[in-house]
Amino acid sequence: MIRILFSFYFWLIVMPVFCVSTILTALIVMIGCLLGGEKLFAFYPGMYWSRLTCWLALCPVKVRGREHLRPKQSYVFVANHQGAFDIFMIYGFLGYPIKWMMKIGLAKIPFVGAACRAAGFIFVDHSSPRAALRSIAEAKLRLQGKASLVVFPEGSRTANGQMSRFHKGAFQVALEQGLPIVPITLNGPYKVLPVGSIRAHPHRMEMVIHPPIRTDEQAYAEKGGLQALADRTRGIIATALWEEFKG
């Protein structure tokens, strides 16, 4: 009975409100950024949109570890990728201005793609080595503007809630720019909206912000370079995963 009631609630209330709020948020972001307010409009409209989405979906979010972040410090945030609600968790509840590194395919979503471009987010193109290098170069340029990046180094959502291999692009950017990497563990989004599902399921979610990892290019060059840094970050994220996702 509860599932039937939630299905009615989801399709009659959640989805219509989500669609309207997404379009309105995208328009606000585009207009605000085009008028020169990128610093403000690239973050806050998306933050409130994300919080509204989690609230509508009846998915409470618990956050631990915000005390590890220093105001005005740029970071490269690296998180596991359990599901679509990862975006709403980080955007809505990290509480830190960010730029996203995202798959090029998201640029094709109506309104959303245009808003992301206006906000200065980086689309990662893995179609060729040259395209991937252009994405990394763009990320470096954004970081020079004192921005912080959020990256899902797995590249795509997990099929079973467990972590897969990390790509090394984000770590190359952090290492070359000398920026701390902040591992983030996400628990619960796989329960809410796993790959292949078209309806969210109410479930609690948790975000654990770990202490930053200092990046010293010379030190990591001697210890295995990018792969060592990626493995260390992945290991830290794994420590806070719920048992069912550790594998």
Side-chain angles (χ1 to χ4, degrees):
M1 184 64 178
I2 294 177
R3 289 187 177 183
I4 295 173
L5 289 174
F6 184 79
S7 293
F8 278 111
Y9 167 73
F10 183 81
W11 292 112
L12 296 179
I13 297 177
V14 176
M15 285 307 297
V17 173
F18 174 74
C19 291
V20 171
S21 66
T22 299
I23 294 172
L24 288 176
T25 300
L27 291 172
I28 292 170
V29 170
M30 286 187 281
I31 294 171
C33 291
L34 289 173
L35 292 177
E38 181 179 319
K39 188 174 182 180
L40 177 68
F41 287 92
F43 176 63
Y44 288 100
M47 181 185 74
Y48 291 116
W49 166 71
S50 297
R51 290 183 180 183
L52 174 63
T53 301
C54 291
W55 179 77
L56 283 171
L58 307 181
C59 296
V61 177
K62 179 181 179 181
V63 182
R64 294 190 284 129
R66 280 204 193 98
E67 68 275 8
H68 298 310
L69 304 180
R70 292 170 46 198
K72 299 183 179 180
Q73 167 70 54
S74 292
Y75 296 104
V76 176
F77 294 100
V78 174
N80 58 312
H81 202 3
Q82 284 199 348
F85 268 67
D86 296 343
I87 295 170
F88 304 130
M89 286 182 70
I90 293 177
Y91 215 167
F93 298 93
L94 181 61
Y96 208 87
I98 53 175
K99 301 286 187 184
W100 289 91
M101 287 187 72
M102 54 183 60
K103 293 192 295 184
I104 189 69
L106 297 176
K108 300 177 182 179
I109 300 176
F111 292 99
V112 173
C116 290
R117 289 194 184 279
F121 298 166
I122 301 125
F123 292 102
V124 181
D125 186 353
H126 289 297
S127 61
S128 69
R130 181 176 295 181
L133 288 174
R134 282 199 302 268
S135 302
I136 292 174
E138 185 179 353
K140 293 176 186 175
L141 185 63
R142 290 292 173 187
L143 287 171
Q144 289 175 358
K146 303 301 181 182
S148 291
L149 293 182
V150 177
V151 187
F152 297 117
E154 292 168 278
S156 58
R157 290 170 289 169
T158 176
N160 56 10
Q162 300 172 9
M163 279 193 295
S164 58
R165 182 178 65 90
F166 278 12
H167 296 291
K168 293 182 284 189
F171 303 97
Q172 180 179 340
V173 171
L175 211 59
E176 292 182 0
Q177 298 296 314
L179 290 177
I181 290 174
V182 178
I184 294 178
T185 303
L186 302 178
N187 288 304
Y190 177 76
K191 296 286 190 179
V192 176
L193 192 66
V195 174
S197 178
I198 61 173
R199 180 175 67 82
H201 306 272
H203 199 281
R204 67 185 179 92
M205 299 188 292
E206 179 188 53
M207 175 165 59
V208 181
I209 304 167
H210 298 275
I213 301 173
R214 293 181 58 186
T215 52
D216 184 312
E217 189 167 5
Q218 181 60 35
Y220 277 99
E222 296 171 355
K223 297 177 183 178
L226 295 176
Q227 191 60 57
L229 186 55
D231 291 345
R232 180 183 175 190
T233 304
R234 189 177 183 277
I236 291 172
I237 291 172
T239 61
L241 285 171
W242 293 346
E243 286 300 323
E244 61 191 293
F245 298 134
K246 287 187 176 181

